[in-house]
Amino acid sequence: MMIEKIVQLALEEDLGLGDITSDNVFTPQDRARAVIVAKEDMVLCGMEIARQTFWLVDEELIFKPLKHDGDFIKKGEKVLELEGRSLSILKGERTALNFMQRMSGIATASREYAQITKPYGVLMVDTRKSQPGMRKLDKYAVRCGGARNHRMSLSDSVMIKDNHIAAAGSIGAAIARIKASIGHTPKIEVETTNLDEVRQALEAGADIIMLDNMTPQQAAEAVQFIAGRAVTEISGGITKENLAAYCAAKPDVISSGALTHSVPSKDLSLKITEYIK
């Protein structure tokens, strides 16, 4: 239901009161066939969202997928075919492509990052730095690329960050308040920026310790100090270029907002291939 709402809002944004161009070129009787083609190499994502987009415009459109989410697509390959009212194809075109292009960009980046971390046995995950209102789609695209998801929302897990610590007075105080309130079952993650904070987090009983914005050398020292007493997560300033250096620090997890917050969209294009009389 939430995905349908996202698609409906996107269509309302794009269509407004109608398509003034197509509405005055075509009649409801005009029909066509079309294809969507990859204009560059990519990991494809967003096929089901495209289907929902076109079917919310016109449930009688024939939607034929030729590829699937998670497939690696080469430039020039067709990913889907459409048949139906020309008006409907054109009204759904831009919205469907916008979803597919962004999601394919995220899936492609996630694959590139995950391929770097895999040989080290390090789990690559995303963050909450997603497009507002689009998080479910962004995180689905991350999984299609072969990486994993961090928490979906603030309610998913405990993560004590710098502002929690500043307001509570210390790492120990923040963890103590959490433990007094939520019981023994949820795991507690704490963000740390130096070895002293790592020590405090361990002493207070943190289950997961995030090593935030540390250099690869600092992170390696912290991982060695923790020595398996907590799950280690490196985050902050992670790029494809420095990812291998952070993997060499041997953390359990590396998280990066770069998978979703600034990934370039991939290029896909819809082409009308035939007018049906």
Side-chain angles (χ1 to χ4, degrees), residues 62-119:
I62 298 171
F63 183 99
K64 181 181 177 182
L66 304 177
K67 303 292 182 179
H68 301 91
D69 285 352
D71 287 349
F72 183 77
I73 306 300
K74 301 291 288 183
K75 178 181 178 180
E77 288 192 76
K78 298 176 183 179
V79 301
L80 66 87
E81 295 176 346
L82 291 163
E83 181 179 330
R85 295 181 181 90
S86 303
L87 279 169
S88 302
I89 292 172
L90 295 171
K91 287 181 177 181
E93 173 187 0
R94 184 70 266 152
T95 299
L97 286 174
N98 284 348
F99 281 126
M100 293 178 71
Q101 288 175 324
R102 175 174 172 79
M103 294 175 73
S104 295
I106 292 171
T108 303
S110 297
R111 181 178 187 263
E112 292 169 351
Y113 277 64
Q115 284 181 331
I116 294 171
T117 62
K118 186 176 180 180

Side-chain angles (χ1 to χ4, degrees), residues 23-253:
D23 287 338
N24 289 284
V25 173
F26 303 107
T27 71
Q29 286 70 48
D30 290 315
R31 296 175 62 83
R33 293 190 178 95
V35 296
I36 290 181
V37 180
K39 298 185 74 176
E40 59 182 311
D41 295 354
M42 68 184 73
V43 176
L44 181 65
C45 191
M47 292 290 281
E48 182 57 33
I49 305 304
R51 185 200 305 270
Q52 288 192 42
T53 300
F54 284 114
W55 282 359
L56 279 172
V57 172
D58 183 351
E59 62 183 8
E60 294 183 3
L61 279 176
I62 298 171
F63 183 99
K64 181 181 177 182
L66 304 177
K67 303 292 182 179
H68 301 91
D69 285 352
D71 287 349
F72 183 77
I73 306 300
K74 301 291 288 183
K75 178 181 178 180
E77 288 192 76
K78 298 176 183 179
V79 301
L80 66 87
E81 295 176 346
L82 291 163
E83 181 179 330
R85 295 181 181 90
S86 303
L87 279 169
S88 302
I89 292 172
L90 295 171
K91 287 181 177 181
E93 173 187 0
R94 184 70 266 152
T95 299
L97 286 174
N98 284 348
F99 281 126
M100 293 178 71
Q101 288 175 324
R102 175 174 172 79
M103 294 175 73
S104 295
I106 292 171
T108 303
S110 297
R111 181 178 187 263
E112 292 169 351
Y113 277 64
Q115 284 181 331
I116 294 171
T117 62
K118 186 176 180 180
Y120 295 90
V122 175
L123 192 64
M124 187 72 224
V125 306
D126 56 21
T127 70
R128 285 170 40 250
K129 294 178 181 177
S130 56
Q131 190 79 1
M134 296 275 287
R135 185 170 296 160
K136 282 187 177 294
L137 303 187
D138 286 359
K139 285 183 172 282
Y140 169 72
V142 166
R143 297 195 302 274
C144 281
R148 302 284 185 87
N149 297 147
H150 210 296
R151 56 183 180 162
M152 183 68 72
S153 69
L154 291 170
S155 62
D156 282 350
S157 61
V158 176
M159 182 184 289
I160 299 172
K161 297 174 72 68
D162 55 347
N163 286 325
H164 298 107
I165 295 165
S170 69
I171 290 174
I175 292 179
R177 291 184 186 186
I178 287 288
K179 288 188 172 183
S181 299
I182 65 171
H184 68 286
T185 53
K187 291 185 177 180
I188 298 172
E189 180 166 4
V190 178
E191 179 184 279
T192 63
T193 60
N194 56 56
L195 201 56
D196 182 56
E197 290 178 352
V198 169
R199 187 180 293 106
Q200 292 177 50
L202 275 176
E203 290 174 352
D207 301 292
I208 307 165
I209 297 179
M210 178 190 288
L211 311 173
D212 188 48
N213 281 300
M214 294 186 184
T215 66
Q217 294 74 23
Q218 290 170 329
E221 184 180 356
V223 170
Q224 290 175 2
F225 177 78
I226 293 166
R229 291 176 287 174
V231 173
T232 52
E233 175 186 338
I234 293 176
S235 192
I238 305 298
T239 66
K240 194 163 59 175
E241 290 69 33
N242 65 24
L243 184 54
Y246 280 105
C247 287
K250 299 182 179 179
D252 297 299
V253 180

